[in-house]
Amino acid sequence: MKGKVEGEPVALYWLDQITKLVNICGSLLIIALVVLIGADVFSRNAFNLPISGVPEIVTLSIVAIVFLQAPQALKAGRLTRSDAVIGFLAVRAPKLARFLDTLYDLLAIAVMSAIFYATYPIFTRAWERSEFVGAVGDFTAPVWPVKLMILIGTFLLTLQFVAKIIRRHNDLEG
């Protein structure tokens, strides 16, 4: 069964749709932070009354946003990397350039897998122990949602690197 893009497996189509949805969640989190920070600044200046927990929420949210939006950045070709050597090789030695691109993707899969593997026990511990940031009596926020977002982001990023390899291979066949 093929997806919406001619000749592309349906699994890649659904991966891209889920990636877009997670990216939208990251964007909504950015909007929520802008509103929260604006409200905090207004409350500080107008009433000399800061909103409790804003620094903690911002710190946790930035990490979540990065991991929620990285898979879409990769899919859209906006993930930061140096293309000078690959661009040079693509013209002079396209097979070598494709090989190096695939090697890069495989190494990225290994790194994302290591991050997932290292984060999973941290997530389960934070969940089981109800770990939080902040000060009891003032403001507390659970840590596990951010750890879960790191897991979701690294998993989707890993799958997007796999999808890049599949798409590169399919381009060679076509």
Side-chain angles (χ1 to χ4, degrees):
M1 182 180 210
K2 301 296 179 182
K4 298 286 184 186
V5 176
E6 184 62 36
E8 185 170 86
V10 72
L12 295 183
Y13 169 78
W14 285 109
L15 170 63
D16 292 346
Q17 297 309 306
I18 293 167
T19 298
K20 286 178 189 175
L21 179 64
V22 170
N23 185 58
I24 290 168
C25 291
S27 296
L28 292 173
L29 190 51
I30 292 170
I31 293 168
L33 280 182
V34 168
V35 170
L36 179 64
I37 292 169
D40 184 47
V41 168
F42 176 77
S43 182
R44 284 175 188 268
N45 290 325
F47 309 113
N48 196 26
L49 186 64
I51 298 173
S52 293
V54 171
E56 290 87 354
I57 293 170
V58 169
T59 302
L60 292 172
S61 297
I62 288 172
V63 174
I65 290 164
V66 167
F67 281 93
L68 291 174
Q69 295 195 319
Q72 181 62 30
L74 175 65
K75 166 67 174 93
R78 295 187 321 257
L79 194 64
T80 303
R81 72 179 243 181
S82 176
D83 287 338
V85 173
I86 294 295
F88 176 80
L89 289 175
V91 175
R92 290 177 175 70
K95 288 183 181 179
L96 179 59
R98 284 190 300 272
F99 169 77
L100 290 175
D101 263 339
T102 301
L103 180 62
Y104 168 84
D105 293 339
L106 291 170
L107 290 171
I109 289 167
V111 169
M112 291 301 107
S113 298
I115 292 171
F116 188 94
Y117 179 77
T119 304
Y120 185 75
I122 297 169
F123 163 73
T124 57
R125 184 182 65 233
W127 174 272
E128 291 167 356
R129 297 180 183 174
S130 299
E131 291 180 6
F132 63 89
V133 295
V136 175
D138 180 35
F139 173 84
T140 59
V143 174
W144 70 264
V146 174
K147 303 304 180 192
L148 178 61
M149 290 179 209
I150 293 170
L151 291 174
I152 291 168
T154 55
F155 182 70
L156 287 174
L157 199 49
T158 300
L159 292 179
Q160 283 295 347
F161 276 112
V162 170
K164 277 184 65 181
I165 294 170
I166 292 169
R167 287 180 172 120
R168 187 176 303 117
H169 177 72
N170 287 347
D171 286 347
L172 291 176
E173 289 178 354

